[in-house]
Amino acid sequence: MGEFKALPDTEPIREVIKAAFDADLDIEGSWGYDKTHPTRILSLPSNATLSQVQHMLASMRAYLEMHLTLPKEERYGSINLNEISREEYTENARTLHKVVYEINAMKERDYNRFIDEYKGGYGKEDFDLEAHFRARKEATLSREVVYWFEVV
């Protein structure tokens, strides 16, 4: 996982998500780092699809890893996930989904600096918009992660 630590299974995942994001999801299990420790999705909210709930859970895991559990000076902001691929497996009468996401994020201090620079410079003749976005791209971390889900 590079510089990010896997989230521990010391508390039920459902309670961690409720406390951190005020979301009440019908889930149990682990953080989905491998197929032996998937996040078990027991049921879906009435207004969401399975892939939406999986994306939301992956976003929450990324935010916990890259922001909430890090010291302030190491935190990332502008955390965005895009699904790259998904595979479905049936194993011992269980249905597992292996979903791969690309996560793009920027150190929070850099992100705030770029936002301030953009607000202060946009529309001004001497503001190099191309250089600004090139620097933003160079400051963006891109990582690929796997998330395992069991669909009950």
Side-chain angles (χ1 to χ4, degrees):
M1 275 202 31
E3 63 188 275
F4 303 101
K5 294 179 183 170
L7 299 172
D9 288 328
T10 54
E11 296 178 52
I13 186 174
R14 183 178 191 156
E15 291 178 22
V16 173
I17 287 173
K18 178 69 174 162
F21 303 102
D22 196 27
D24 193 14
L25 300 173
D26 192 14
I27 59 172
E28 64 183 18
S30 190
W31 290 104
Y33 290 109
D34 58 57
K35 72 178 180 178
T36 58
H37 300 95
T39 298
R40 297 184 76 226
I41 300 174
L42 305 174
S43 69
L44 298 174
S46 61
N47 61 344
T49 66
L50 178 60
S51 62
Q52 288 171 329
V53 170
Q54 290 171 331
H55 186 275
M56 179 173 47
L57 287 164
S59 295
M60 290 172 173
R61 185 180 85 176
Y63 191 76
L64 287 163
E65 292 169 349
M66 300 175 76
H67 188 85
L68 288 179
T69 59
L70 295 177
K72 186 173 182 159
E73 63 278 357
E74 295 178 31
R75 290 180 181 168
Y76 283 80
S78 186
I79 300 169
N80 295 298
L81 279 77
N82 291 303
E83 183 177 315
I84 296 173
S85 66
R86 72 172 42 239
E87 298 174 62
E88 184 173 311
Y89 300 89
T90 303
E91 195 172 279
N92 300 324
R94 299 183 336 163
T95 300
L96 297 168
H97 290 185
K98 176 186 177 186
V99 186
V100 179
Y101 296 96
E102 178 184 47
I103 301 174
N104 293 301
M106 190 181 301
K107 288 281 190 174
E108 193 172 54
R109 68 176 182 277
D110 293 339
Y111 178 70
N112 292 333
R113 182 177 48 81
F114 282 122
I115 294 299
D116 290 343
E117 178 182 281
Y118 182 82
K119 286 178 181 177
Y122 185 75
K124 294 183 180 173
E125 197 172 304
D126 63 339
F127 183 61
D128 187 341
L129 193 59
E130 285 183 31
H132 171 81
F133 281 108
R134 191 169 42 255
R136 281 178 73 150
K137 185 175 182 178
E138 289 171 7
T140 299
L141 168 73
S142 190
R143 61 190 278 244
E144 201 170 285
V145 300
V146 174
Y147 203 128
W148 286 88
F149 300 95
E150 181 180 353
V151 182
V152 179

